[in-house]
Amino acid sequence: SAGEPGKIYRWPLESTLALEASVSDDYQIQRVEFYRNGQFLGEDNEAPYGFTWDIPGAGTQTFTAVAFDAVGNQAENTITVEVVRN
């Protein structure tokens, strides 16, 4: 998830967006990958799993977190965030 559900980010007053993935699994989580509009942003290998994205401007963004466990299973969650110029 990103910040608060339904929150509208006001750029440039807010210049970053903190992405967090709450993950639990029967096996050990190996990593969580973060994507914006299908483009790879980065990954986190240790809990708490997160990524800070620098907001470049106004627009609607879609973020996806993909979690991978030690045996290769994966799960993903997608959210959409709105950024308005303030």
Side-chain angles (χ1 to χ4, degrees), residues 33-76:
E33 296 180 353
F34 294 91
Y35 296 83
R36 178 184 64 91
N37 301 334
Q39 196 169 40
F40 180 73
L41 291 174
E43 66 182 48
D44 194 346
N45 299 316
E46 293 183 15
Y49 301 98
F51 185 86
T52 300
W53 179 65
D54 293 324
I55 300 171
T60 301
Q61 309 292 335
T62 301
F63 294 96
T64 304
V66 184
F68 296 86
D69 71 13
V71 295
N73 296 316
Q74 69 182 68
E76 67 178 59

Side-chain angles (χ1 to χ4, degrees), residues 2-44:
E4 305 160 40
K7 177 179 176 179
I8 296 175
Y9 289 80
R10 302 188 182 282
W11 178 86
L13 288 178
E14 294 173 286
S15 61
T16 62
L17 186 148
L19 300 168
E20 292 179 11
S22 298
V23 182
S24 62
D25 191 85
D26 295 345
Y27 299 98
Q28 181 181 358
I29 299 298
Q30 193 172 57
R31 71 186 188 281
V32 177
E33 296 180 353
F34 294 91
Y35 296 83
R36 178 184 64 91
N37 301 334
Q39 196 169 40
F40 180 73
L41 291 174
E43 66 182 48
D44 194 346

